[in-house]
Amino acid sequence: MNPVLPTEAIEFAATAAKAFAALGGVDAARRAEEEPARREGEVTAALAAIGAGDLDPRANPDSLAAAAALCETAGTVALPFPLVGTLLRDSQQRPFAVVPEGLWRVDHGDLFPQWRVASLTGGDTIAAANAAPLGSRLGPFVTDLHALDRPTGDPRPLDATPHPDLAIHLTLTAWHILGTTGRALELAVEHVQGRVQFGKPIAAFQSVQFQLADCSVALAGLRELACFTLWRLTAAPDDALTDALALRLHAIDVARTVLRTTQQLHGAAGVCDEYDICVLIRLVQPALRLPWGAERTTEALAEAIARHGFEGLFPHGLASR
Amino acid sequence: MDFDLGEQAATLRTRLRALIATAIPEDYLGAFTNDPADLDVAQQFCQRLAHEGLLTIAWPTRYGGGGGSMWDQTVVREEMWAHHEPRGAQYMGLNWVGPAIMAYGTEAQKQQHLSAIAAGTVIWCQGFSEPDAGSDLASLTTRASVDGDGYRISGQKIWTSYAGMAQWCVLAARVGSGERHEGITMFLLPMDAPGITVRPIRSMLGYHHLNEVFFDDVAVGPDAVLGGVGEGWAVIRQALAHERVGIARYARCERLLSALGAALAPHWHDLPASLQGQWAKALVQVRVARLLAYRTVHAQATGEVPDVLASSARIAVTQCDQAVAEVLCQAVEERALEAGPTAPLYGAIEDHWRYAQAATVASGTIEVQRMIVAKALLGPRA
Ligand SMILES: Cc1cc2nc3c(=O)[nH]c(=O)nc-3n(C[C@H](O)[C@H](O)[C@H](O)COP(=O)(O)OP(=O)(O)OC[C@H]3O[C@@H](n4cnc5c(N)ncnc54)[C@H](O)[C@@H]3O)c2cc1C
């Protein structure tokens, strides 16, 4: 038993953190919102410089762990780039995306001429951007894709076996969410120590401390589950999708409460773009809501458990009946 | 016991809905979008309401109002907020600036300001919060120094809603050497006075909502003081009490749940069962928030001082705002992040989610409301 992420992954994340800091941290995301074209040049160069292109999370557990740590680090700055998708690119450099069955919506979908997409029920389809990004405050770079290799009008996947990269995609996205959420807690800790009201730092108020403590416990649990899921992807590949769905669901739940609490602890500053917390919360929304939000994920997870069971000390699902 | 608001309230509601249906575009999301036409809609609507005697329907008749009941006022608040507050920023003048001037103003101030508010032509902003005075408002430091028989005001306000479009400001500043609540004085001053600078703050709510306001040696006469030097805290308390019941957030929550429910009806059973359940729970939560708001209004109507009730209602209402925002977003699934007129409910869902995140901070944080409720439970010495 060893729950610790490999040292190389931790070191790789530290290198990535330096590179992202050199881009200005969250300022890179602010610049991208002002000038979407900047995503390609500066972020691609930074990723290339740290050797992100050499990672293949499908290849072995170490590469998977390094990819996860990289995604987490990207989450801390809302890196304006489809990192998870490009880590799972195919031999023709097409990034991979998991899409909802209705509309094929992908964050930063406009950045690549072609994508390989799959939905929960299967599929492996080549797709391309259909329109300009949404440009909204909660999903500025979210872009609709359409199928290239079969008639449009029928977005449903052709076959019904889960794509082999689906579980990895969900897992790495959860690591990205973990990064954003962990950073939000750090920002709140800094803020409440510096912010004085009623003659003392608001960190001195016990209700503030309790809120931070609850966030910290929630994040600790999410981190353990994220590490466990990485291990399970290799150790129990047959359960990969169930485990990845469980991680996704928990990541969404934890993010929702931790982001809400940490934003609240910032007072009005929490809704203001000059503060990193606000930008992080806005720009993580696509990861939380695409390809599906909490309730749709819950539904998929319950079905997966019923069919395939769930790891634990006792049997679950059909197998247990 | 009877929870029916009565015939008069029902008639008023019908009338307001009919008016909104004709005067407000279906895709209207309030006055503070990037489209200046939306502000014009609000300004015109206020004048129309004024013309029909509806703008100040709840003001006393001696101030030119309709003498309506608290319940009429409640219906107005509900219908306005439900339909994206088509009065724009003017709701503040009607809800509390006017009543504060009625309660604390001189005859001359009443003459000057009440008729302008009632005509639906003037926007007010509220200059209370400062960079270092948020929850602890009594620590504010903007200073009004005596200068002849008037004052010179210097300092900074922050998070001032609508400051960029306002003609007037109710400003809290400090006069003399009194500390904390003592010495706080309220001023009514025109936003075009020399020495006032407004800087917009980019926020999740959009670009035209929050502002910083700088006061650099702004000269005002003695007639700018509202309610006596050093008496400002009483005005603030009244303003905040009005604010706590001022925004019927539950009404928009319910309207959006209803509108989306109707839109989703053919596909209702495609929604995950857990989401259908959350939808039902949200409707219950909205009802409870509305009932707590009604209990506060009832207490006010019968003359009690309902601090703890108002705070309880506000906690429930703001929590309901955030819970419903989440349910709505999940219900439209991959379209949740879409904004603009082609998005679900013309972008109202995305808009609601962003605004709801600030609900537990604006007009005093939910934590401050909790302190008030706890104090009522535990007594002042706790
Ligand atoms: C949308 C919006 C519109 C606004 N419009 C106006 C306006 O028009 N005019 C105006 O004057 N102001 C306005 N405000 C400001 C608003 O009144 C303040 O934001 C609010 O009072 C909180 O102050 P703050 O932001 O400085 O947060 P802070 O007071 O710094 O609070 C930060 C966090 O600490 C918590 N906290 C503080 N003290 C305690 C304590 N003792 N115990 C436990 N927790 C504590 C708070 O609850 C919060 O979570 C607006 C704010 C918003 C979000």
Side-chain angles (χ1 to χ4, degrees):
Chain A
M1 161 66 183
N2 173 14
V4 182
L5 212 57
T7 316
E8 305 79 58
I10 295 169
E11 285 169 357
F12 185 59
T15 309
K18 279 198 201 111
F20 300 157
L23 288 179
V26 176
D27 279 344
R30 290 192 180 91
R31 284 198 300 274
E33 276 197 275
E34 291 294 323
E35 242 184 289
R38 294 184 74 145
R39 283 169 296 166
E40 256 169 310
E42 51 184 41
V43 180
T44 316
L47 287 169
I50 59 172
D54 303 334
L55 293 178
D56 181 359
R58 290 164 292 214
N60 58 61
D62 284 343
S63 201
L64 177 63
L70 175 64
C71 291
E72 180 186 11
T73 310
T76 63
V77 295
L79 191 75
F81 194 75
L83 181 59
V84 174
T86 51
L87 286 168
L88 291 169
R89 69 199 171 281
D90 66 9
S91 58
Q92 295 178 55
Q93 304 303 312
R94 289 182 288 228
F96 174 74
V98 183
V99 293
E101 298 209 342
L103 272 174
W104 292 4
R105 294 220 138 140
V106 174
D107 205 11
H108 305 283
D110 59 321
L111 278 188
F112 289 84
Q114 291 194 356
W115 288 74
R116 186 172 277 276
V117 305
S119 78
L120 185 60
T121 47
D124 186 352
T125 306
I126 308 303
N130 220 352
L134 293 182
S136 65
R137 309 234 61 218
L138 301 179
F141 311 116
V142 170
T143 308
D144 290 345
L145 307 183
H146 70 285
L148 282 184
D149 55 357
R150 61 193 158 84
T152 46
D154 175 20
R156 283 184 180 272
L158 296 174
D159 64 65
T161 25
H163 191 283
D165 290 346
L166 196 120
I168 305 180
H169 193 285
L170 296 180
T171 302
L172 293 180
T173 303
W175 277 82
H176 172 96
I177 295 170
L178 171 67
T180 296
T181 311
R183 181 64 189 142
L185 180 57
E186 284 175 11
L187 289 168
V189 167
E190 282 168 28
H191 185 81
V192 301
Q193 286 174 314
R195 175 70 174 160
V196 173
Q197 288 290 277
F198 304 101
K200 44 188 156 183
I202 55 177
F205 297 113
Q206 205 167 44
S207 73
V208 169
Q209 295 170 6
F210 284 1
Q211 292 183 63
L212 293 172
D214 283 345
C215 289
S216 168
V217 173
L219 266 161
L222 177 57
R223 173 170 297 283
E224 289 313 310
L225 186 65
C227 288
F228 173 83
T229 307
L230 281 186
W231 169 72
R232 289 273 297 174
L233 289 183
T234 317
D238 288 350
D239 292 346
L241 188 56
T242 311
D243 289 329
L245 285 167
L247 175 62
R248 171 162 181 81
L249 177 61
H250 196 58
I252 297 173
D253 279 348
V254 168
R256 196 151 63 194
T257 53
V258 172
L259 295 177
R260 185 78 278 288
T261 304
T262 51
Q263 185 176 37
Q264 179 71 17
L265 285 169
H266 279 74
V271 296
C272 163
D273 282 344
E274 285 165 39
Y275 287 77
D276 285 0
I277 185 97
C278 177
V279 179
L280 289 175
I281 288 174
R282 284 196 297 106
L283 297 186
V284 79
Q285 295 304 317
L288 298 176
R289 302 186 187 280
L290 296 172
W292 341 275
E295 298 312 316
R296 192 60 83 184
T297 305
T298 307
E299 185 185 55
L301 175 63
E303 201 177 307
I305 293 174
R307 279 203 206 171
H308 307 294
F310 194 68
E311 185 277 346
L313 302 182
F314 296 93
H316 306 280
L318 284 185
S320 68
R321 289 181 202 143
Chain B
M1 213 155 59
D2 178 5
F3 283 88
D4 189 341
L5 300 194
E7 192 76 30
Q8 191 181 321
T11 311
L12 176 59
R13 197 183 296 283
T14 309
R15 197 169 155 208
L16 288 170
R17 282 197 190 172
L19 198 58
I20 290 166
T22 56
I24 303 300
E26 210 175 355
D27 60 357
Y28 193 64
L29 290 182
F32 317 116
T33 65
N34 284 341
D35 183 354
D38 289 331
L39 179 59
D40 292 342
V41 168
Q43 294 299 86
Q44 279 165 25
F45 187 65
C46 284
Q47 285 172 37
R48 172 107 183 246
L49 286 174
H51 183 70
E52 303 216 4
L54 289 169
L55 193 63
T56 52
I57 186 162
W59 280 18
T61 43
R62 68 177 180 285
Y63 296 117
S69 70
M70 294 262 196
W71 296 109
D72 293 336
Q73 203 175 337
T74 303
V75 168
V76 173
R77 279 201 302 262
E78 289 178 344
E79 292 308 311
M80 294 301 139
W81 194 258
H83 297 92
H84 294 274
E85 191 47 274
R87 296 172 301 177
Q90 288 198 40
Y91 78 89
M92 213 153 67
L94 294 157
N95 277 7
W96 77 264
V97 180
I101 293 173
M102 289 173 209
Y104 298 99
T106 61
E107 269 319 305
Q109 285 170 334
K110 290 178 189 171
Q111 285 288 333
Q112 181 182 6
H113 295 300
L114 294 181
S115 52
I117 297 174
T121 52
V122 60
I123 294 177
W124 284 79
C125 64
Q126 169 191 313
F128 293 178
S129 306
E130 297 183 358
D132 291 326
S135 296
D136 184 13
L137 188 54
S139 67
L140 63 90
T141 58
T142 293
R143 179 155 289 285
S145 313
V146 178
D147 179 38
D149 63 351
Y151 301 87
R152 288 192 166 269
I153 299 173
S154 289
Q156 186 197 338
K157 296 292 170 180
I158 195 167
W159 318 123
T160 322
S161 302
Y162 333 122
M165 48 187 82
Q167 290 89 39
W168 283 85
C169 176
V170 187
L171 179 82
R174 209 165 265 295
V175 177
S177 57
E179 284 186 19
R180 295 197 59 81
H181 309 87
E182 285 155 29
I184 294 179
T185 304
M186 233 22 119
F187 291 88
L188 307 177
L189 74 171
M191 288 298 285
D192 60 1
I196 298 181
T197 313
V198 176
R199 187 186 78 92
I201 299 173
R202 279 185 73 137
S203 79
M204 234 156 117
L205 315 183
Y207 302 142
H208 306 283
H209 196 123
L210 300 175
N211 303 272
E212 285 181 289
V213 187
F214 300 88
F215 297 85
D216 183 13
D217 215 24
V218 178
V220 295
D223 52 348
V225 173
L226 175 69
V229 173
E231 308 282 309
W233 194 253
V235 186
I236 290 181
R237 278 190 54 113
Q238 199 206 22
L240 295 182
H242 273 102
E243 279 207 313
R244 266 179 286 158
V245 288
I247 297 183
R249 291 176 185 272
Y250 58 83
R252 187 176 308 168
C253 291
E254 192 180 334
R255 188 175 78 89
L256 296 181
L257 284 168
S258 159
L260 187 65
L264 285 179
H267 314 288
W268 178 255
H269 292 287
D270 297 340
L271 287 183
S274 61
L275 188 54
Q276 296 177 21
Q278 286 206 18
W279 189 288
K281 278 188 186 168
L283 286 175
V284 178
Q285 197 176 356
V286 168
R287 178 181 283 178
V288 169
R290 177 164 59 94
L291 292 173
L292 279 169
Y294 283 0
R295 172 63 72 163
T296 311
V297 175
H298 170 77
Q300 280 178 333
T302 51
E304 282 175 56
V305 183
D307 245 7
V308 62
L309 282 183
S311 291
S312 304
R314 223 181 94 78
I315 290 171
V317 168
T318 53
Q319 285 179 331
C320 142
D321 215 36
Q322 290 175 353
V324 168
E326 199 50 47
V327 172
L328 289 169
C329 274
Q330 292 216 35
V332 294
E333 308 209 58
E334 66 268 20
R335 300 197 63 190
L337 307 174
E338 227 175 292
T342 56
L345 302 191
Y346 308 106
I349 292 176
E350 188 263 3
D351 178 86
H352 182 71
W353 194 89
R354 285 186 288 107
Y355 268 80
Q357 305 314 303
T360 44
V361 173
S363 316
T365 65
I366 193 169
E367 286 75 22
V368 169
Q369 311 303 328
R370 288 184 176 121
M371 287 183 221
I372 293 169
V373 175
K375 204 164 262 174
L377 285 170
L378 300 169
R381 268 164 303 166

